[in-house]
Structure formats: C-alpha cells, structure tokens
Amino acid sequence: MNGLYLQLHAYMLRVAIPYGVMSSGQMTALANIADKYDRGYGHFTTRQNIQYNWPKLIETPDILDDLAKVQMHAIQTSGNCIRNITTDPFAGVAADEEVDPRPLCELLRQWSTLHPEFAYLPRKFKFAITGSAVDRAAIKVHDIGLHLRVAADGSPVADVWVGGGQGRTPKIAQLFKAGLSVAELLPYLEAIMRVYNRYGRRDNKYKARIKILLAETGLEALQEQVEQERKLIDSKSFEQIDAELARITDSIIKPDYIAAADAGQVIADAVSTDAAFAEWKRQNVVAHKHEGYAIAMISLKPAGGIPGDATSAQMRAVADIAEQYSFAELRVTHRQNLVLPHVKESDLYSVWQALSQVELAEGNIDLPSDIIACPGLDYCALATARSIPIAQAVSKKIRHTETTTDLSGVSVNISGCINACAHHHVASIGVLGLNKGGVENYQLTLGGRNDQNASIGERLGPGVSGEDVPEAIEKIITIYTDVREAGESLSDTYDRVGKEPFKDAVYA
Amino acid sequence: MPADATHSIVIANDLQTGRSVFFTSESSWSEAVEQAELIEAGDDAETRLQAALEGEKSNLVIDPYLVSVDADRQIRDTREHIRTTGPTIFVDAMVADSLTSKSSRCD
C-alpha cells in the first residue's frame, strides 16, 4: 500500500497528490526529492500523482520523511486498496461547474485512507468525481464514478456509476444509483465496498475488479445486495457528514480574487503580436468561473518529449509561477499535464513567457500530440512493449499538422501492455503495445471516448511495428480530416463511417 | 532459448538500490554486464543459478534468473536488453539537458 514497486532496473516510488491538488511549496519539495534521491525529474501520472523512477530502497524512508514535512505521503498509491481519489482538474474554478467536487474528494480521502475494512480488497479500487456535466475526470471508466449535480430542489446530489474500468476487460460503468443525497452518499459507498469486499473474486486477479462482479452478478442483483447491506450500516456513524463537509468546504483556501482592469486589451495586444502565445492561449487557456481570471494549462507534452515528465528545474519554475500568478496552487490532470487554476487574464502573457523560459509553453492541450503514455517497457516490469519512444515519435510527426489543421477532436493514448495504464481504450486513437514472438507489436484502436459519452475503442486490425505507428496514426488523421463533418470528433466520424476507410488507409 | 543464444547469464535486482545486477564467476554481483559470468550451453546453468539464489537468501538481491545471451553477451530479448542497458528513450528529444545537470536518463 506504500507505493513502492520494483521495476525493471530500479525501484519506483509513487507519491499521492490528493485529487491532483497541491501547493507551490509541495511542488518545490517534489523537485528537491527528484534532485536529492532520484535523477532530477519526475513523472506525473493518470491518477494525478507523481512517480520517481530511480529511488533506492535504502533511501526511501528519507524520501517519506521529506514528503511528510510538506504533508505528503505515498500511502495507498499501490496495493489492493482504495487509490488516490481523482477529479476534474478544474474543480472549484470551472465556468461550467455545478458542484465543487473538492469537499467530497477530501471527505472520501479521509474516509478511505487507512480504512481498516478496505485495506485488503480483492483488487485495487479507483474513484473519480466530477461536478460538471462535461466529464473531465473519466468517471465512467472507474470502479466508482460520482457525478455531482444540483437537484431540482437546489440541493447537491450524486449519480453513482459503478463497474467501469479498462485493463484487459474494458467496461463502461453503469448507472447504479441516481440522485443520492450527499449526506447519504458515504454510507451507501461503504455498502458498495462491503459487498465488493465480500463477493469480489479473489481466485483470479484478472477477474477481481468490481466490473467483473457487476457483470457476473447483474445490475439489479448487485443493487439489491448493496441496498440490503446499507440497511445494516448504522447511520449514526455518518451523522456528522454535513458538518464535516461544511468544515472541509470552509478549509479550502478561497483565493482573494480581484477584478483585473483592461485584461481584454492586454491579452488582445499580445495575441495580435505573438503567434505562439495566441496558439497557447487558444489551446491551453480555459474559462474560469470568476470574471477576469482564467485557468491556464501547462503541457508536459513537448513535441518529441516524454509525456508527463518534468525536470526538477521545471517543477521549481512552475512552483514559482504558481506562487506569483496562481495563489500558490497547482493541479495535476489525468492527461499528465499541470494546471494553474487561478490566473488573472491580464497575467496570461507573463505566465506564458515565464513558462517559455523552461520549455513548458507548448500550446497543444487536447490535441493529438497531448499523448497519454505509460512508462512502458523502458521502466515497467509488467510492460510488454515500449510506449514512451512511440509517443515521442508520434508527437514529433504530427505536431506540425496540428498547428495548421484543427485536430482538437483527436486524442492519442499509448499503453505498453494490456493493463491499459495509459487509457488507450478510451482514446479516439488507442495504441496498445504487445510482445509478439519476442518482438514489440502495436495494436491500434479507434472510437474511444473518456468523457460523459464514454466508449471503448475498437481494434482496427492486425498490429503494426513500432516504427510504423506514427505513419499509421498520420493516415488515420488524414482520413478523419478528409471525411469528417462539421463538429465531429474522430470518434464521431468513426461511428458514422465505420472502420473500413481507416483500415484501408492503414493497411494499404 | 533462441537458436543463436548459446550462453546464459544470471540477472537480478540489487535489494538496496533496485539496480540490475549480474552474477559473476566469483559468485559476487556486479552492475556491469561485462562482468557477468558467461555460462556456456553445455555447463550446468542450473547449478550457477542455485549459487546465485544464495544471494537472495542473504538479502543481497531479488529474483535471480537466467537470461539467454550470445557469445558476446548480447541479449536478444527486448525486455532483458532494456533491463540490462537502461531506458531507450530518445536522447535528442529530451528537454531536460539544458535545464538540469542531473538528467542522465539513458545511462
């Protein structure tokens, strides 16, 4: 449960970043650890955490000691327990948000951390929470996904989605309980966990996730088991939920926003004179719920770079930028990027210039080069093929095209084995690295989605060699841009025209 | 064992550091593959593996096992090759070099 794995040629330590939120001071501490105990960099992950690839076992206690000094740890970043709760990286600031998910994330973090009943589950267990109708937390491919929304009477409620997941048996979650009051949510989740803990399979780890229990038991039967279990749970144990949520809500630091005069003109001037900034603003800046502010995303996906990696120098620079421009707060996204959640619009150009100084000003968020990639066979003991070098080659090849053509409807995720750590199933173009007769071989999938309309991609055809992956992806993108209709993502186009045009192009 | 893999070596991970280490003819462990004992096909590889497993019992290494190599200690299996030589990530793509003096990722 302590996040330490022995990988191919070193230990790997995964550090928890609860729901992806951290302070500048914590980021600086992570940079210091990268220098002091590792090789000067860290890898941000799809669970909004960070991993170090080279720590020594004998130095791990010292790392944990340094983490504790900034209120961080590695607890439950491995093992068959409830892992880091993930959420919308724009939580609390998104213009389209209905309910701020952070208080519930913190409540679930406290509830699930070292929970004695759930320390040895049949398998690992992952929660994700969104408070917006547009799902940026991929809740439907989690063991439990929660969609917080405002009910007709104005109160916050949760839709509970159960049984999503990826790996070798990808499943989209099913709506398990709709409109649950927040006060009732925690005992209900405890009931689900108890039923899963009791009936989840322990004889075969590949069939141990709750998605398999749901498939084998059936939705209605499992719902009934949970309802019966809920009746056995003493509600008095949860009487303080509302009060605790109120306490947590009060404890969340509320930035002292101020109105920014003439922000529009400042930015308009910069956009008109600096094309690179204009591109960055178009791709990486998102609407903020507070007038005069923006959410600025930092891409960790430079063309040809290693997805999710940041050097210690970059981490320190980002910490300083957050300190100066974003109320000392940062977020990690499940797409392995970073977020400055509270930037004055009038500061955007200064922020971009500061990011440019450390090679972090790539304006490619949600474009094909914004690739999710797992560590793959370059680091991971479970991997069957490399993923990082493939991602590097793909982003190098397609970066130029996406600067001249609208490719915002294309996502590329690359996993180095069937465990699907890079979420290849839910990318519009998924790449799965396998070992075929001792040689790396890459399957392509098309049509996946990770949002509120989540879908699992379909295999296009026979696998291709690693060196052929970039060209295959380029061909797929060409077909998409040739035949797409207005507003269609690649997955929309795939649904409409089917597999054949893409297959013909790739295997011609 | 591949047809051209005429030899084998014993590989493991050092318990304290996690680094890949190789069993030597002196029954010690080295991080240098050049110092790995080259066990010929006709030799009793299992005997040498058993000797290497003593290192696990002594809490020196983790999970020693035999890996097929050719006479030049070249490893054909991609996984074992990477395990021996380190990540294959493209050096020229790294943005780290100019930003930190500790970014030697491909060693």
Side-chain angles (χ1 to χ4, degrees):
Chain A
M1 287 174 58
N2 289 312
L4 191 70
Y5 294 76
L6 180 59
Q7 298 286 33
L8 270 191
H9 27 229
Y11 288 99
M12 180 271 280
L13 181 66
R14 184 179 295 143
V15 176
I17 301 173
Y19 36 99
V21 178
M22 67 176 149
S23 67
S24 289
Q26 289 173 322
M27 180 65 103
T28 300
L30 294 176
N32 292 342
I33 287 169
D35 275 344
K36 190 174 177 183
Y37 303 104
D38 209 89
R39 295 190 176 179
Y41 69 102
H43 177 74
F44 291 95
T45 78
T46 56
R47 286 220 72 68
Q48 299 175 296
N49 289 324
I50 187 172
Q51 295 177 177
Y52 296 104
N53 288 320
W54 302 98
K56 295 173 179 158
L57 178 64
I58 52 175
E59 293 182 342
T60 304
D62 297 328
I63 299 175
L64 297 177
D65 199 31
D66 285 0
L67 287 170
K69 290 171 184 167
V70 290
Q71 292 78 51
M72 300 184 87
H73 58 71
I75 297 169
Q76 290 178 208
T77 59
S78 64
N80 293 336
C81 53
I82 297 173
R83 303 289 187 87
N84 190 35
I85 313 289
T86 54
T87 193
D88 185 347
F90 308 154
V93 293
D96 63 358
E97 184 172 86
E98 283 191 64
V99 181
D100 183 349
R102 291 175 298 172
L104 182 63
C105 288
E106 176 59 17
L107 186 75
L108 292 189
R109 188 192 70 79
Q110 294 180 18
W111 163 75
S112 61
T113 301
L114 303 179
H115 193 306
E117 265 189 73
F118 308 135
Y120 189 60
L121 297 167
R123 199 74 175 87
K124 60 186 170 184
F125 204 95
K126 299 177 180 178
F127 281 83
I129 308 175
T130 180
S132 300
V134 175
D135 178 11
R136 291 176 288 262
I139 69 164
K140 292 183 182 175
V141 285
H142 278 74
D143 295 288
I144 291 182
L146 301 174
H147 175 199
L148 296 174
R149 58 183 172 81
V150 177
D153 66 359
S155 62
V157 296
D159 294 334
V160 181
W161 294 76
V162 173
Q166 299 192 62
R168 66 187 60 218
T169 313
K171 297 278 188 186
I172 301 299
Q174 298 185 53
L175 182 59
F176 203 81
K177 184 86 172 179
L180 202 58
S181 73
V182 172
E184 174 57 19
L185 187 55
L186 208 48
Y188 189 79
L189 294 177
E190 186 144 313
I192 295 175
M193 297 306 301
R194 283 186 176 185
V195 169
Y196 168 60
N197 206 12
R198 187 181 309 144
Y199 298 118
R201 290 179 60 169
R202 293 177 186 268
D203 62 320
N204 182 341
K205 74 173 186 178
Y206 301 120
K207 297 183 177 181
R209 299 290 285 266
I210 197 171
K211 62 189 174 186
I212 304 298
L213 179 65
L214 176 59
E216 292 184 349
T217 307
L219 179 62
E220 287 186 17
L222 195 62
Q223 286 170 322
E224 178 57 25
Q225 289 175 2
V226 169
E227 293 296 338
Q228 292 304 317
E229 185 64 35
R230 170 64 190 93
K231 291 175 184 171
L232 301 175
I233 293 175
D234 185 357
S235 295
K236 287 181 181 174
S237 303
F238 297 94
E239 279 180 344
Q240 301 302 314
I241 284 180
D242 284 339
E244 179 60 10
L245 273 172
R247 187 196 66 77
I248 292 169
T249 302
D250 286 345
S251 73
I252 292 174
I253 296 170
K254 289 148 189 80
D256 188 15
Y257 296 124
I258 57 171
D262 72 359
Q265 192 55 49
V266 170
I267 297 307
D269 289 347
V271 166
S272 65
T273 57
D274 193 325
F277 170 68
E279 181 191 31
W280 178 82
K281 181 177 177 296
R282 183 174 64 250
Q283 289 303 138
N284 292 34
V285 176
V286 179
H288 197 283
K289 65 167 52 171
H290 193 281
E291 190 177 354
Y293 282 78
I295 302 165
M297 301 191 69
I298 301 170
S299 170
L300 298 181
K301 319 288 178 62
I306 301 167
D309 271 21
T311 67
S312 57
Q314 288 174 321
M315 286 191 262
R316 282 194 197 88
V318 167
D320 291 344
I321 292 167
E323 182 81 31
Q324 184 172 355
Y325 296 108
S326 185
F327 295 92
E329 187 179 329
L330 287 155
R331 311 282 177 86
V332 183
T333 81
H334 85 272
R335 290 201 66 84
Q336 301 179 286
N337 293 310
L338 301 174
V339 175
L340 297 164
H342 321 282
V343 178
K344 269 194 293 190
E345 287 184 336
S346 56
D347 286 337
L348 283 171
Y349 192 48
S350 299
V351 166
W352 178 79
Q353 288 174 313
L355 292 171
S356 299
Q357 296 296 312
V358 286
E359 308 284 342
L360 287 176
E362 197 90 10
N364 65 341
I365 295 293
D366 289 340
L367 293 177
S369 65
D370 183 8
I371 296 169
I372 299 179
C374 67
L377 194 53
D378 282 296
Y379 294 103
C380 180
L382 300 177
T384 45
R386 286 171 288 177
S387 50
I388 293 172
I390 305 300
Q392 291 180 294
V394 170
S395 64
K396 267 186 171 177
K397 191 168 188 67
I398 59 181
R399 180 68 185 120
H400 175 71
T401 305
E402 67 189 20
T403 61
T404 56
T405 308
D406 177 14
L407 296 182
S408 55
V410 184
S411 59
V412 180
N413 296 352
I414 304 174
S415 298
C417 78
I418 193 66
N419 292 309
C421 292
H423 300 186
H424 68 273
H425 291 298
V426 292
S428 54
I429 303 173
V431 181
L432 166 62
L434 298 170
N435 181 318
K436 208 169 180 180
V439 179
E440 292 164 298
N441 186 267
Y442 295 84
Q443 286 183 3
L444 302 169
T445 56
L446 296 185
R449 298 178 182 84
N450 69 355
D451 59 10
Q452 63 279 7
N453 302 310
S455 59
I456 304 297
E458 296 175 345
R459 188 177 162 194
L460 186 62
V464 300
S465 70
E467 61 189 27
D468 288 340
V469 169
E471 188 176 348
I473 288 176
E474 193 171 54
K475 288 175 178 175
I476 290 166
I477 289 173
T478 299
I479 294 295
Y480 161 60
T481 55
D482 284 350
V483 305
R484 66 181 170 187
E485 294 183 351
E488 277 187 343
S489 68
L490 192 153
S491 293
D492 295 337
T493 302
Y494 177 81
D495 286 348
R496 180 173 55 79
V497 305
K499 185 181 295 185
E500 293 310 315
F502 299 100
K503 197 171 179 179
D504 291 346
V506 170
Y507 301 106
Chain B
M1 181 181 291
D4 55 352
T6 55
H7 298 69
S8 56
I9 60 175
V10 178
I11 189 170
N13 290 95
D14 182 275
L15 175 64
Q16 293 198 11
T17 67
R19 302 293 183 266
S20 299
V21 288
F22 306 92
F23 197 52
T24 72
S25 54
E26 286 78 40
S27 296
S28 61
W29 294 93
S30 170
E31 289 192 21
V33 68
E34 297 78 20
Q35 294 179 18
E37 179 183 10
L38 200 56
I39 305 169
E40 292 189 36
D43 294 348
D44 188 355
E46 190 59 33
T47 299
R48 293 306 293 155
L49 177 60
Q50 289 303 316
L53 284 165
E54 291 299 315
E56 189 168 52
K57 292 175 185 171
S58 305
N59 289 330
L60 293 174
V61 297
I62 305 168
D63 192 24
Y65 61 89
L66 290 162
V67 171
S68 299
V69 298
D70 63 21
D72 298 324
R73 290 187 175 80
Q74 294 299 310
I75 300 172
R76 300 303 171 95
D77 181 89
T78 304
R79 181 181 190 276
E80 302 306 335
H81 180 75
I82 292 172
R83 192 169 178 211
T84 301
T85 59
T88 64
I89 295 162
F90 299 155
V91 177
D92 65 353
M94 290 176 12
V95 296
D97 287 346
S98 62
L99 303 169
T100 174
S101 60
K102 298 187 68 177
S103 59
S104 55
R105 297 188 217 182
C106 297
D107 54 353

